Amino acid sequence: METNLNRIINEIELFGNFNTTPGKGVTRFSYSDADKEAKNYLMQQFESLGLEVSIDAVGNIRAKRKSTDINAPTVMTGSHIDTVLYGGKFDGVVGVVGALEVIRVLNENSIPTRHPVEVVIFVEEEGSNFMSTMAGSKTMIGKYGPEELKKIANDKGVSMYDIAPSH
């Protein structure tokens, strides 16, 4: 069983195209059009791999591969796809592409896993849009609820609560 290096390289390059500042690094703020395009691409990939996909109230994506033991705890992997202004093409994306590659290789080789494997893509990890780092992670663990999200606003005065997909 091997990963496909060319596929990994191509995926990283592809994510560099979901970018609002071509030629000046990669800029992909959470909830931007570039972010939405990248997430739509990921959703297509997850669905083609037969994963159970969900999006939470703040926009974190979770894609779960079924397991042989329904009671086994989930193994989570993934990262984020948002960037800082003029960022590099590897930060965050490598974790997402790596997790996606693991699922692909498991599926291509028909390898069952005792534990479900879940790919997670967190929103606003860099804090570039809302100046609150790891907001998606904080929401997932319950540190940020609706009241906290209503207080976190971007430079246009829009709250994270109001811009999230569920609102």
Side-chain angles (χ1 to χ4, degrees):
M1 175 171 60
E2 290 185 27
T3 58
N4 183 324
L5 182 58
N6 287 328
R7 184 167 55 196
I8 293 168
I9 291 168
N10 290 336
E11 288 284 328
I12 291 169
E13 292 297 325
L14 175 70
F15 274 96
N17 295 325
F18 301 120
N19 180 8
T20 60
T21 59
K24 298 179 183 176
V26 177
T27 302
R28 187 175 40 252
F29 290 172
S30 293
Y31 311 110
S32 67
D33 287 342
D35 181 63
K36 290 174 189 172
E37 291 170 10
K39 287 181 177 175
N40 285 338
Y41 171 77
L42 282 169
M43 296 291 283
Q44 292 169 356
Q45 298 307 302
F46 294 150
E47 289 170 9
S48 74
L49 292 166
L51 305 182
E52 182 182 310
V53 179
S54 64
I55 302 172
D56 68 16
V58 77
N60 293 318
I61 298 174
R62 299 174 75 166
K64 187 182 279 192
R65 184 176 189 263
K66 293 181 181 177
S67 64
T68 59
D69 181 350
I70 61 171
N71 296 314
T74 299
V75 175
M76 296 178 91
T77 183
S79 190
H80 62 97
I81 60 169
D82 64 313
T83 69
V84 297
L85 184 64
Y86 312 127
K89 64 182 175 182
F90 299 105
D91 181 29
V93 169
V94 169
V96 172
V97 169
L100 183 58
E101 182 65 12
V102 166
I103 298 295
R104 285 176 173 153
V105 171
L106 290 171
N107 283 4
E108 289 167 356
N109 291 281
S110 302
I111 297 173
T113 54
R114 181 172 163 253
H115 295 262
V117 179
E118 186 170 26
V119 180
V120 181
I121 290 63
F122 294 102
V123 299
E124 195 62 10
E125 291 301 289
E126 295 291 1
S128 299
N129 198 356
F130 290 89
M131 304 307 142
S132 179
T133 59
M134 299 185 292
S137 299
K138 290 173 183 173
T139 301
M140 184 180 278
I141 65 167
K143 185 170 181 171
Y144 283 175
E147 293 311 309
E148 289 80 13
L149 295 172
K150 288 176 185 178
K151 294 175 188 173
I152 301 169
N154 63 16
D155 61 0
K156 295 177 178 89
V158 178
S159 77
M160 196 167 172
Y161 179 86
D162 288 332
I163 205 168
S166 65
H167 297 96

